[in-house]
Amino acid sequence: MINAKHMQGVAAGRASTYAVLAALFAAPPSKEMSAMVCIGDFSPAGNEAVRAAALTLVACFRRVALDELPQNDLVAEHTRLFSLPSGVIPHESFYVDENRRIGGHVTVEVQRCYDDAAATLTSACRELPDHIGVELEFMQFLCDIEQQFWAEPNAQGLQRCVEFQNGFLTEHLLRWHRALCEKILDETSLDIYRALATLTTEFLEAERAFVPELAQGIQAEWRTPCAAES
């Protein structure tokens, strides 16, 4: 039997991880973000690879806090990687569209997902819908909704919410995150962005396994009347 209170905490932890990753892709780390990570208030649940990657990212932030790396260097590298045309191009359409046309049908499809979920995204990342920071924030939004449904609990809402998560991961994020992160690893020499790329890869690969299993577990736990009758 699924423990709703435990799963509420799992959803909250996943939302927090998505939020941190989205923020770090959207902009150079703020003082508040750096402080939060440095004090250990960031420990994503997951497998051993996820935990190891998270510890590496925390260590990188702590080195920055000790002034081993000037903040200006972080800002410059973030701009070079994620804002300049010569950077890694953090848009799904660049990796999925056969013509690499940013703002084309792939971008429209991503926006349709947000509209279908009635998502309210408030990220500081003022980018097209298929920017990695925006897509990660959308997953944070869905995990926050899931957390609320576990608290009620709301079986129908949970099923629909987790199906949304699984669909968006399968049809969008999981199709291109690895290529993006490998490009970051090739392009940057700064440990903090190498650690970000590694954690993003490991976390999303863990989600690849976790979310479908969660969807199956919820369906088995709370079958809809129609399903039971059939």
Side-chain angles (χ1 to χ4, degrees):
M1 182 175 180
I2 298 177
N3 185 318
K5 187 173 182 179
H6 170 72
M7 293 310 300
Q8 184 181 354
V10 171
R14 291 173 58 230
S16 176
T17 302
Y18 275 116
V20 170
L21 295 178
L24 291 176
F25 278 110
S30 64
K31 291 182 179 180
E32 293 77 13
M33 172 67 69
S34 298
M36 183 270 287
V37 175
C38 284
I39 64 175
D41 194 18
F42 174 61
S43 53
N47 57 32
E48 184 176 343
V50 173
R51 292 191 293 271
L55 288 174
T56 299
L57 184 64
V58 170
C60 290
F61 269 92
R62 287 175 176 168
R63 286 197 293 272
V64 171
L66 292 173
D67 291 328
E68 292 185 14
L69 180 68
Q71 180 68 19
N72 287 345
D73 288 1
L74 284 179
V75 174
E77 184 67 349
H78 189 280
T79 301
R80 186 184 73 82
L81 286 172
F82 304 119
S83 298
L84 297 181
S86 59
V88 299
I89 318 295
H91 293 272
E92 179 182 345
S93 46
F94 181 80
Y95 297 88
V96 174
D97 189 312
E98 60 182 9
N99 297 315
R100 295 189 170 184
R101 188 161 64 94
I102 298 172
H105 71 93
V106 173
T107 306
V108 171
E109 289 169 4
V110 173
Q111 181 61 56
R112 186 177 295 119
C113 291
Y114 302 162
D115 294 341
D116 289 346
T120 302
L121 304 180
T122 59
S123 173
C125 181
R126 298 178 182 178
E127 290 286 352
L128 291 171
D130 66 334
H131 186 281
I132 184 66
V134 183
E135 292 196 5
L136 290 166
E137 187 187 354
F138 179 59
M139 285 300 299
Q140 175 202 347
F141 169 83
L142 292 177
C143 290
D144 282 336
I145 297 297
E146 179 196 339
Q147 181 185 359
Q148 296 173 23
F149 285 143
W150 283 117
E152 294 181 11
N154 180 331
Q156 186 175 2
L158 276 169
Q159 288 181 358
R160 180 164 173 76
C161 182
V162 175
E163 286 170 2
F164 243 117
Q165 293 177 37
N166 195 33
F168 189 75
L169 284 167
T170 302
E171 296 169 16
H172 295 287
L173 266 173
L174 293 178
R175 295 179 64 192
W176 70 289
H177 79 284
R178 184 176 288 277
L180 169 68
C181 291
E182 288 175 353
K183 196 171 177 64
I184 294 171
L185 291 172
D186 288 340
E187 290 285 336
T188 188
S189 59
L190 292 191
D191 288 345
I192 198 166
Y193 286 112
R194 295 182 63 82
L196 172 62
T198 301
L199 176 57
T200 301
T201 298
E202 297 296 349
F203 177 67
L204 288 177
E205 288 302 320
E207 289 281 275
R208 186 193 296 274
F210 174 78
V211 176
E213 291 178 1
L214 177 60
Q216 292 175 4
I218 291 172
Q219 186 175 20
E221 183 85 5
W222 293 295
R223 293 185 180 276
T224 62
C226 291
E229 292 171 5
S230 62

